[in-house]
Amino acid sequence: MSLDAITTRMLPGAPARDAILQGLHTRITAAGSPAIALATVLVGDDAPSQKYVASKHRIAQQIGIQSVQVELPSTCTQEQLDAEVARLAADTSVHGILVQMPLPVHLDAERVLALIPAAKDVDGLTSESMGRLMRGLEGHVGCTPLGVLRLLQHYGIATAGKHAVVVGRSTLVGLPLSVLLARKGIDCTVTLAHSRTANLAEVCRGADILISATGVARSIDASHVSAGATLIDVGISRTEVGIVGDIDADAVMGIAGALTPMPGGTGIMTVACLMENTVNAAVMQGIAL
Ligand code: NDP
């Protein structure tokens, strides 16, 4: 196939997000709308964090999930935060707990996460959730890695036997995503690349599915892409021209087989996957859905 024969297909997040939310809403309604509650814990008055939390509650309510909002001042102590999270952990009417990150620097995120039971860890961030992912046990997968998988599935991108290259090895995105894609049933052959990877462009050119989660604006260009590859952009960089991704979309157009836009791609999947995890959390805690 010559390069100029390729039309790059765009993979916007909105249709995939809407399909997930619609499916969850239908499922909740069909089960007689049982009480399912998602609790968020927000520390401080960081405007973007407040916005993210508000949108999570708005979407939860739209699909029939109740909201519990805990807000603490930025001056709160570790003991106060721990006590709130422990209270939510023990509350049987709360099915999912999300502690909005990042926390103010004087607070220990690991200590707080350790208080969240695995069944309620709808962000999939605790050591137990990560361990369950590694061991292939039932549990919650982080919303961003899960969102990438759901996008691929929504658009019918084949994964079995395909070579996925994940660039970025953070515990939030790249590392769990690499494990998820290699799971039985998803069946990618995975390469996990990072800032010390030698010959990154060459490694990336070996990908059928290339996922970049580095936050290095437009660092993936034509030299990283084989004809027909599917490109998933997770990176978010705020620049003078607005939000841009890790992938230089103009440079890869006509080479890639498919590409997620940034913004409008992976980011908007995250909240839908949070809702999916919350519904699964309710099921794990005995709600019939
Ligand atoms: P981290 O900073 O924790 O991790 C970045 C990773 O990228 C590291 O593993 C790092 O390698 C690697 N890296 C950095 N520079 C390069 C490079 N030049 N070449 C190859 N690898 C490189 O970030 P996060 O994982 O938390 O987030 C990554 C990006 O994803 C950010 O832009 C963030 O805003 C975005 N994001 C998007 C979400 C969405 O919903 N779309 C959700 C969450 C995050 P090393 O380990 O060697 O340092």
Side-chain angles (χ1 to χ4, degrees), residues 2 28-29 38 54 62 67 77 83 102 106 128 147 159 161 167 186 221 224 243 250-251 262 277 279-280:
S2 70
I28 293 168
T29 310
L38 169 66
Q62 279 169 9
S67 293
T77 63
H106 69 284
E128 187 170 347
T159 53
V167 190
I186 301 166
D221 59 24
H224 297 76
I243 288 177
D250 293 339
M262 178 56 72
N277 280 349
V279 167
N280 289 338

Side-chain angles (χ1 to χ4, degrees), residues 65-244:
I65 293 175
Q66 296 167 9
S67 293
V68 178
Q69 302 191 48
V70 175
E71 291 184 17
L72 295 167
S74 56
T75 52
C76 90
T77 63
Q78 183 81 44
E79 288 68 28
Q80 286 169 326
L81 174 58
D82 291 354
E84 284 296 339
V85 174
R87 183 179 63 76
L88 295 169
D91 184 342
T92 53
S93 71
V94 168
H95 302 96
I97 303 172
L98 178 151
V99 178
Q100 184 66 36
M101 300 290 172
L103 292 171
V105 286
H106 69 284
L107 297 170
D108 181 348
E110 291 299 327
R111 187 169 140 179
V112 178
L113 289 175
L115 296 168
I116 302 175
K120 295 191 180 189
D121 176 27
V122 288
D123 241 356
L125 292 179
T126 66
S127 302
E128 187 170 347
S129 294
M130 300 283 272
R132 285 169 177 250
L133 173 64
M134 290 295 292
R135 293 181 58 83
L137 300 173
E138 183 186 41
H140 301 298
V141 177
C143 300
T144 302
L146 187 59
V148 170
L149 177 64
R150 293 286 178 258
L151 250 181
L152 292 170
Q153 291 171 330
H154 178 84
Y155 286 106
I157 308 287
T159 53
K162 302 296 181 189
H163 184 199
V165 175
V166 179
V167 190
R169 59 178 162 182
S170 73
T171 51
L172 182 64
V173 188
L175 183 60
L177 179 58
S178 67
V179 177
L180 183 64
L181 291 172
R183 254 189 176 175
K184 270 194 191 302
I186 301 166
D187 299 321
C188 283
T189 303
V190 180
T191 299
L192 182 55
H194 45 77
S195 68
R196 305 298 298 272
T197 296
N199 306 319
L200 181 66
E202 188 184 327
V203 171
C204 292
R205 280 199 305 276
D208 300 303
I209 301 169
L210 174 60
I211 302 156
S212 187
T214 65
V216 183
R218 295 187 177 129
S219 51
I220 301 292
D221 59 24
S223 70
H224 297 76
V225 179
S226 281
T230 295
L231 308 187
I232 308 288
D233 201 346
V234 178
I236 300 172
S237 299
R238 289 174 175 81
T239 71
E240 66 287 352
V241 294
I243 288 177
V244 301

